[in-house]
Amino acid sequence: MVISTTSTDSGEHLNSTFASRYVRSPVPRFSENGFKMPENSMPKEAAYQVITDELMLDGNPRLNLASFVTTWMEPECDNLIMASLNKNYVDMDEYPVTTELQNRCVNMIAHLFHAPVGDKETAVGVGTVGSSEAIMLAGLAFKRKWQQRRKAQGKPCDKPNIVTGANVQVCWEKFARYFEVELKEVKLTEGYYVMNPEKAVELVDENTICIAAILGSTLTGEFEDVKRLNDLLTKKNAETGWDTPIHVDAASGGFIAPFINPELEWDFRLPLVKSINVSGHKYGLVYAGVGWVVWRTNDDLPDELVFHINYLGSDQPTFTLNFSKGSSQIIAQYYQFIRLGFEGYKNVIENCLENARVLKEGLEKTGRFVIVSKDVGVPLVAFSLKDSSKHTVFEISESLRRFGWIIPAYTMPPNAQHVAVLRAVIREDFSRTLAERLISNIEEVLKEMDSLPSRISTREAHVTATIHEIQGGKPDGKPLKKSVRETQEEVTRIWKRFVDGRRTGAC
Amino acid sequence: MVLSKAASDSDVSIHSTFASRYVRTSLPRFKMGENSIPKEAAYQIINDELMLDGNPRLNLASFVTTWMEPECDKLMMASINKNYVDMDEYPNRCVNMIAHLFNAPLGESETAVGVGTVGSSEAIMLAGLAFKRRWQNKRKAEGKPYDKPNIVTGANVQVCWEKFARYFEVELKEVKLRDGYYVMDPEKAVEMVDENTICVAAILGSTLNGEFEDVKLLNDLLIMKNQETGWDTPIHVDAASGGFIAPFIYPELEWDFRLPLVKSINVSGHKYGLVYAGIGWVIWRNKEDLPEELIFHINYLGADQPTFTLNFSKGSSQVIAQYYQLIRLGYEGYKNVMENCTENMMVLKEGLEKTGRFNIVSKDNGVPLVAFSLKDNSCHDEFEVSDTLRRFGWIVPAYTMPPDAQHVTVLRVVIREDFSRTLAERLVQDIQKVLHELDTLPARVNAKIASSSEENVKNGALVTKKSDIEMTREITTYWRKYVSDKKKTSGVC
């Protein structure tokens, strides 16, 4: 930037940041010329401060118990990340070591999942931005293989479908909608919140490109019975000759099962499993922005999907949706692999499970909750109220925010929409002290709620929430008639908010 | 981790990192190691290996930003543990600012339609998906077949368009280039449009030579054709590079939403948006151009969150950095940066012209880069110049043009914000040294064989028969490498 411009700011640097005019004027958003870039520059200290101040009001990522995504890494790793912020991952020619690290990670993960590769053979897989991209790539591979098979048989290939449980994460629905594949969902039932293998296999037809099983369901953390699915599907394939494969969405479970439940057969040890995805940024213990997908063998990834491009002068095979992206997370993933090793990961997950158990027992002791999550699976605790007639889990969730905790409440997908749960995910940085503190905060919330008048009846609350869920979040706009009770409740709410407003904002 | 474990490693922490056994043993490559290692060792091992990567700032091949102010680095580090899906505010603000920059027809407090993506690849896929769905809906309503969508682009498109076409099953109709004309010809493009065309994609800032395509001419010709045919074919502008250049230094150039047929635009935040790799933007003209059925309303943490992206969880640092740049620099700041880049580009261009050995293929208007080819490449070609420049630390790529101009090879230097004038002058000097050196070496195997082996590499298998000349060349290369290895100090910068 030309030096002459700064001097016209006459003495800008003499004022302290908070005394400069920039922190007085409104942030360019609702300025007079509406949502536009500001005409002039501002000093970097001011820009830094303005943004830091605003971000302070965001929730504290470590208290966000809704998310599986890693929120803490060792300072050494932070240094490595900082140093590689300016490396564009896709410039493989210029950063060959970074590319090598990605390849090593793929190999390590493939071996972890018992891929049938020799000791020195390279595995087939790729680093992605997250499990969404990984799943789309895996789905694309299945779709293309299925199309090739059908074309070879001279049969129509215009109506592909995929069989999953209704408990799938939204990215499967995205895949289905964007890539024009029909989604056939196995409905859940009360008490059984994962995909039923028998029903799934029943739904398979000649147009099914694959069945997707989840290791670590988003809702309850449960591991689906992939072995059973494999056995049933093998039988059906023998009868029909359709050769339907399985994909395992191990976004959370992929870095848990191999360490804690090594005898559990869910990966490439099962012959029908052709690809697996896992999120590096969940229990891979890396910050948001890295996922992995591994294929069983070269055959399972159709070559026509792989691009060989002349980028920046050399041949580069690529199969990803994203191109340019940062390299930091890949390096961080490699760091974790060599730093922790098998025993390190095992220790971390064991700690998480222990803390989950502490939380679970604390909740059970209050006598007010039903624990919906299982002990085997992702370390999380999903719990619902024994009695939701007066107050709902949604209220608990809201009240907990006052203490800084973010614990989401949600209703189950069909056909268990009448069940609503709270879910707390236990990550590496959720220590036992925090668990005990959370329990005491929940007890306080319960005590407080008991002393307040009940809101509109639970059923209505649930139903309204359910309607929102089904309609995909669009409020249906029907006016509610105000009863005495509701007015009372509104007054209480307003007063509560007034009191809260006087406390300091979230950490 | 349990304390007892650390003790049983018998005082590993007392040893200095380089004296520990971990830096002696070979690193796990295929399988995870059984045991943990101390964090200092892990850090050092990885740091050491990464030293051998190229220096990002000397990578003149890439448009992607390689330097940001320390304040911004601090902000990015502080938000490294934030998940992008947990923040709405900043992406929306950036989308609005960019939409206004592109003259989107918005009312005073109307919110713009757009999303933040991981890069222009994702942005283009989303835009393409929107066009495909709109076209399918239109055809269904007309009762016509919709199974053969196609998209018209120039052969100079970046690979992500080909990816989009292949992954989303859309046919790619490419307008071929020709010698001297390295962008999409609007007339030819409009000729190729048929009833199955979902859109025509124009590029503002071609990857190969930085040129801006004439979007206005395309718009005018396409309007005429649409009137005749009634097909209503829209335009998408891939402004990956040009989107943060044209508004600041060519504001009178009409390429954006000022042209009525332009329905969506993508731009890379990580190119001239001046942010590190990992952020792009796509903006739609208005709500109608983004079919509602593609938008997912998810119940995230109990609140409705509309989302239309391919990626879900990802880092939020780059969005914050983008916002930082937009408010820190403002319009005048971006203008200053771009003017500096253009100035440095002129310095480089003139330096190259002065050597008398090069033809400049890039134009002055467009992305600040210099694409040049040798006037005489019979003895030595551009690939050799590129290889030899690496010895000086510079990464300058050489590549052949797409059909029908494959006989033209160019070297391309991209001028980014952190490429100062001193570096430009040094590069010119180094290029002169390279030319001098090449002049003293025997000629390589002639260019024809070189370019046909290029073709073989493309198909994934390299097949060459060894001739005498090739043996000589192999020996020379080997010897040269041997000598240069002796000169090297500890890796690239």
Side-chain angles (χ1 to χ4, degrees), chain A residues 79-279:
Chain A
N79 287 342
L80 278 174
I81 289 178
M82 218 23 243
S84 59
L85 272 181
N86 64 352
K87 277 193 191 167
N88 183 357
Y89 171 77
V90 80
D91 288 342
M92 297 181 184
D93 209 34
E94 282 65 49
Y95 313 126
V97 177
T98 308
T99 308
E100 168 80 20
L101 295 187
Q102 188 231 214
N103 293 338
R104 288 185 201 169
C105 288
V106 167
N107 282 306
M108 289 187 197
I109 294 173
H111 274 99
L112 199 63
F113 296 165
H114 303 95
V117 279
D119 266 344
K120 296 287 191 277
E121 205 185 316
T122 39
V124 185
V126 73
T128 63
V129 165
S131 276
S132 290
E133 186 186 355
I135 278 165
M136 289 185 188
L137 295 176
L140 206 44
F142 281 122
K143 185 182 181 198
R144 201 48 68 90
K145 277 214 93 177
W146 174 82
Q147 283 173 330
Q148 283 170 346
R149 220 174 35 232
R150 297 284 284 181
K151 281 194 201 148
Q153 294 171 337
K155 295 196 180 143
C157 56
D158 57 328
K159 293 197 184 313
N161 69 57
I162 191 169
V163 174
T164 67
N167 57 329
V168 278
Q169 210 253 9
V170 70
C171 65
W172 283 100
E173 295 172 52
K174 274 191 186 183
F175 165 70
R177 207 181 286 184
Y178 295 166
F179 291 86
E180 287 157 13
V181 174
E182 185 197 343
L183 197 66
K184 293 174 86 167
E185 285 186 344
V186 177
K187 300 266 176 268
L188 312 180
T189 46
E190 182 169 354
Y192 195 92
Y193 301 120
V194 289
M195 177 173 79
N196 183 322
E198 274 103 0
K199 293 200 185 145
V201 173
E202 259 174 69
L203 282 180
V204 167
D205 60 30
E206 54 173 344
N207 289 319
T208 305
I209 65 176
C210 80
I211 301 189
I214 305 183
L215 199 78
S217 167
T218 319
L219 305 169
T220 56
E222 230 178 294
F223 289 167
E224 287 182 0
D225 193 343
V226 192
K227 184 167 194 343
R228 180 148 182 71
L229 179 66
N230 180 79
D231 295 342
L232 292 172
L233 192 55
T234 306
K235 271 205 293 227
K236 181 155 185 174
N237 280 343
E239 295 164 6
T240 61
W242 289 335
D243 219 6
T244 317
I246 295 177
H247 173 86
V248 182
D249 175 1
S252 320
F255 277 115
I256 297 175
F259 305 111
I260 304 294
N261 318 94
E263 71 302 330
L264 181 73
E265 281 182 36
W266 64 274
D267 52 14
F268 293 120
R269 280 169 286 179
L270 304 170
L272 287 185
V273 173
K274 303 297 183 194
S275 51
I276 300 176
N277 69 282
V278 64
S279 283

Side-chain angles (χ1 to χ4, degrees), chain B residues 127-128 130-132 134-135 138 150-152 190 193-202 215 218-219 222-223 226 231-237 259-264 285 289:
Chain B
F131 280 123
K132 185 181 181 198
R134 281 209 83 190
W135 175 82
K138 195 173 76 188
N150 69 56
I151 192 169
V152 173
V190 172
V193 167
D194 60 31
E195 54 173 343
N196 289 319
T197 305
I198 65 176
C199 80
V200 180
V215 193
L218 178 67
N219 180 77
L222 194 53
I223 288 181
N226 279 344
W231 289 334
D232 214 11
T233 318
I235 296 176
H236 173 87
V237 182
L259 304 170
L261 286 186
V262 172
K263 304 298 184 193
S264 51
R285 191 185 194 85
D289 297 300

Side-chain angles (χ1 to χ4, degrees), chain B residues 217-275:
Chain B
L217 180 56
L218 178 67
N219 180 77
D220 296 342
L221 293 172
L222 194 53
I223 288 181
M224 274 189 324
K225 178 152 185 175
N226 279 344
Q227 268 172 354
E228 296 165 6
T229 60
W231 289 334
D232 214 11
T233 318
I235 296 176
H236 173 87
V237 182
D238 176 1
S241 320
F244 274 112
I245 300 174
F248 304 112
I249 47 184
Y250 309 111
E252 70 301 330
L253 180 73
E254 281 182 37
W255 64 272
D256 53 14
F257 292 119
R258 281 168 284 179
L259 304 170
L261 286 186
V262 172
K263 304 298 184 193
S264 51
I265 301 176
N266 69 282
V267 64
S268 283
H270 55 223
K271 291 181 184 136
Y272 291 93
L274 305 176
V275 180

Side-chain angles (χ1 to χ4, degrees), chain A residues 36-39, chain B residues 97-104 204-205 212 237-258 265-268 272-273 283 326 330-339 342 366-368:
Chain A
K36 286 198 192 149
M37 262 172 88
E39 271 301 311
Chain B
M97 288 194 213
I98 296 173
H100 273 98
L101 198 62
F102 296 164
N103 300 290
L204 199 77
F212 289 168
V237 182
D238 176 1
S241 320
F244 274 112
I245 300 174
F248 304 112
I249 47 184
Y250 309 111
E252 70 301 330
L253 180 73
E254 281 182 37
W255 64 272
D256 53 14
F257 292 119
R258 281 168 284 179
I265 301 176
N266 69 282
V267 64
S268 283
Y272 291 93
I283 314 280
L326 289 172
Y331 192 93
E332 73 167 332
Y334 271 96
K335 185 161 177 284
N336 286 338
V337 169
M338 290 319 306
E339 280 174 351
T342 313
V367 177

Side-chain angles (χ1 to χ4, degrees), chain A residues 429-488:
Chain A
D429 57 348
F430 186 76
S431 58
R432 186 182 181 125
T433 10
L434 288 178
E436 291 168 348
R437 172 147 284 221
L438 175 60
I439 293 170
S440 71
N441 287 160
I442 288 179
E443 284 167 354
E444 266 184 67
V445 164
L446 285 173
K447 223 176 6 187
E448 203 179 286
M449 266 180 8
D450 286 339
S451 61
L452 282 174
S454 136
R455 284 189 176 194
I456 2 173
S457 93
T458 309
R459 199 144 282 168
E460 259 180 89
H462 269 194
V463 168
T464 324
T466 313
I467 290 177
H468 281 206
E469 184 91 347
I470 293 177
Q471 285 184 342
K474 298 185 197 126
D476 69 16
K478 291 212 192 87
L480 292 166
K481 284 183 238 127
K482 284 199 184 287
S483 68
V484 171
R485 213 173 235 182
E486 286 177 63
T487 324
Q488 220 178 351

Side-chain angles (χ1 to χ4, degrees), chain B residues 265-368:
Chain B
I265 301 176
N266 69 282
V267 64
S268 283
H270 55 223
K271 291 181 184 136
Y272 291 93
L274 305 176
V275 180
Y276 293 130
I279 179 118
W281 304 94
V282 55
I283 314 280
W284 283 273
R285 191 185 194 85
N286 50 45
K287 281 216 286 282
E288 285 79 52
D289 297 300
L290 178 51
E292 180 68 26
E293 65 203 67
L294 289 176
I295 303 180
F296 275 83
H297 291 267
I298 55 171
N299 183 345
Y300 189 72
L301 303 187
D304 172 50
Q305 205 184 52
T307 150
F308 179 46
T309 52
L310 298 179
N311 298 296
F312 192 62
S313 289
K314 60 193 180 202
S316 51
S317 300
Q318 287 90 342
V319 166
I320 292 173
Q322 177 78 85
Y323 184 68
Y324 173 93
Q325 290 289 51
L326 289 172
I327 67 170
R328 150 59 169 153
L329 294 173
Y331 192 93
E332 73 167 332
Y334 271 96
K335 185 161 177 284
N336 286 338
V337 169
M338 290 319 306
E339 280 174 351
N340 286 352
C341 290
T342 313
E343 182 60 35
N344 291 331
M345 174 194 84
M346 297 304 288
V347 165
L348 179 61
K349 190 181 91 137
E350 282 160 10
L352 291 172
E353 280 174 332
K354 261 214 210 77
T355 67
R357 305 281 295 266
F358 297 107
N359 286 326
I360 307 294
V361 172
S362 52
K363 309 268 191 295
D364 282 350
N365 282 1
V367 177

Side-chain angles (χ1 to χ4, degrees), chain B residues 43 53 102 110 118 168 189 238 311 314 357 371 384 481:
Chain B
Y43 170 79
D53 264 349
F102 296 164
E110 201 184 320
V118 165
F168 290 87
D238 176 1
N311 298 296
K314 60 193 180 202
R357 305 281 295 266
E384 286 181 66
K481 222 169 76 95

